[in-house]
Amino acid sequence: MRLTLFAALALIAAPAAGQRVPVGGSPDASRPPKEQPPTATIMAEPVAVFIGACDADGDARVTRAELAACAAKSFASIDKDGKGSVGYIQFADWAERWLGDRNALPSPFDTDTDNDDRITLAELKAQLDKTFTRLDRDKDGVLVRSELLTIDGTRGLGGRNGPGDRGPRGGPPRQ
């Protein structure tokens, strides 16, 4: 009887088949399961996702005119009282609705160029136009999907942040 009870307790305490148990005796919870896909290395900034959604004619290309019209439509959805400007909290509402997060860039501080604590449609369009120029790698005045993507070289195979990860404050490579 005691032997059966001891065997049952040993089975309960034993790791599941294939589960790694480090020297300390508890499963290594810091490692992702082997079935998890690799970390993404191709990403898009929230504002790039917004710009991609401004493709009005469905040709997978966004022009400055399409972006300007899209900016006006999105701005109108937040400027409900029709004042022609929004405060920083309303701008955060715009960012949450159209960029996915209240703190996504562009920030209201960068967008409010006259520092009056209000953001006009013209200021939003100017900020989005600067972003358009930055993303337009071939300078043809049109954004295609490949220009809206960002390659994150810090993620990938190797160390915690990728090959050559030097650890905190440029110290020795992580082991």
Side-chain angles (χ1 to χ4, degrees):
M1 174 77 171
R2 286 185 189 186
L3 185 57
T4 307
L5 181 58
F6 179 71
L9 288 173
L11 284 175
I12 292 171
Q19 187 177 12
R20 206 171 145 227
V21 178
V23 176
S26 63
D28 188 359
S30 65
R31 294 186 184 265
K34 289 183 180 182
E35 299 83 30
Q36 185 172 348
T39 304
T41 57
I42 300 175
M43 300 173 204
E45 299 172 44
V47 71
V49 174
F50 171 78
I51 291 170
C54 292
D55 176 21
D57 60 8
D59 64 353
R61 300 162 48 90
V62 179
T63 63
R64 288 183 192 274
E66 285 176 314
L67 179 57
C70 186
K73 184 177 179 180
S74 70
F75 188 85
S77 74
I78 299 300
D79 183 23
K80 296 185 186 300
D81 57 7
K83 287 184 178 179
S85 67
V86 296
Y88 285 14
I89 292 174
Q90 284 176 297
F91 186 82
D93 294 342
W94 176 86
E96 182 175 35
R97 180 173 186 181
W98 296 100
L99 304 180
D101 189 272
R102 299 180 73 74
N103 298 309
L105 297 176
S107 78
F109 306 105
D110 291 335
T111 307
D112 181 17
T113 55
D114 62 6
N115 298 315
D116 66 350
D117 297 331
R118 305 283 304 166
I119 296 167
T120 64
L121 175 58
E123 287 174 318
L124 178 61
K125 283 182 178 180
Q127 182 66 39
L128 291 172
D129 194 60
K130 285 188 337 191
T131 303
F132 189 104
T133 299
R134 176 177 57 85
L135 295 173
D136 188 13
R137 287 186 224 121
D138 61 5
K139 306 302 178 204
D140 66 350
V142 175
L143 290 176
V144 295
R145 296 307 189 258
S146 62
E147 291 173 306
L148 299 175
L149 299 177
T150 301
I151 305 297
D152 185 354
T154 63
R155 296 174 187 246
L157 303 176
R160 193 179 93 183
N161 291 322
D165 178 13
R166 301 289 301 169
R169 297 187 182 175
R174 295 180 193 271
Q175 297 299 322

